[in-house]
Amino acid sequence: MKNSSSGFTLIELIIVIVILGVLAVVAAPRFVDFTSDARKAAFTATAAAFREGVNQVHLAWLVRGKGVAVQNFLPIADPNVGGALTVNSAGYPADTRGVSRTLNSEDDCLDVWRAVLDSFSSGVGNDDAEAYSAEYVAEGKCIYSLKADLNKNVTYDSNTGEIGIND
């Protein structure tokens, strides 16, 4: 009588289990840690929204045919913004308070970001509660940096409307 059995031996099963364990240890962190990907996607979306907001303000300025700097160009209902949005002589967001009609301080950088975006969803400020910090560089230029990763930043030049996204 011939004893034939089909199936796997114990050593074959152990080898398969070890291989699956090694794959799980190597592959699982790649699929489980989506934090950095999510942070990058949120940053990119916020930066793109800022770019489009600046473009919309400029387009409104062009359509209205002003051709000059305009104080209180767009009313802003957000209480975190210092008032109505003012555009400079090139038609780009520059200020929400004061009469300079130019972007010339860190407060102006903060106010432009808050006026163009919803300040509650993309907070900017220099305290720990906000997601972004603002820095006035010079001559109408700002840098907005993601506090969780300072290499991710948005540069804004109110003289030309140019927005750079460094992610």
Side-chain angles (χ1 to χ4, degrees), residues 8-162:
F8 298 105
T9 64
L10 183 60
I11 192 72
E12 290 172 328
L13 289 174
I14 290 174
I15 290 172
V16 168
I17 291 171
V18 167
I19 291 172
L20 289 175
V22 168
L23 286 174
V25 167
V26 171
R30 176 82 174 136
F31 294 107
V32 173
D33 185 21
F34 292 113
T35 305
S36 63
D37 292 341
R39 189 173 287 136
K40 182 177 180 180
F43 168 78
T44 303
T46 301
F50 182 71
R51 175 185 288 152
E52 289 309 309
V54 168
N55 289 338
Q56 290 293 321
V57 170
H58 184 67
L59 181 61
W61 180 80
L62 289 172
V63 168
R64 293 179 189 177
K66 297 293 184 182
V68 296
V70 180
Q71 185 79 23
N72 301 326
F73 181 68
L74 291 173
I76 305 296
D78 189 337
N80 292 326
V81 178
L85 183 63
T86 295
V87 294
N88 61 17
S89 60
Y92 293 104
D95 196 358
T96 61
R97 54 183 117 197
V99 293
S100 68
R101 296 184 185 157
T102 60
L103 194 149
N104 57 15
S105 71
E106 187 173 290
D107 284 338
D108 289 346
C109 292
L110 292 167
D111 290 341
V112 165
W113 181 272
R114 291 172 180 154
V116 170
L117 297 173
D118 178 5
S119 67
F120 296 109
S121 63
S122 55
V124 62
N126 293 327
D127 58 12
D128 292 334
E130 304 295 349
Y132 294 86
S133 64
E135 176 185 355
Y136 174 71
V137 181
E139 300 176 9
K141 297 177 184 173
C142 300
I143 297 176
Y144 303 99
S145 300
L146 181 65
K147 290 182 182 178
D149 183 353
L150 297 177
N151 293 322
K152 294 182 182 348
N153 61 58
V154 177
T155 58
Y156 171 55
D157 184 344
S158 68
N159 302 307
T160 62
E162 183 179 335

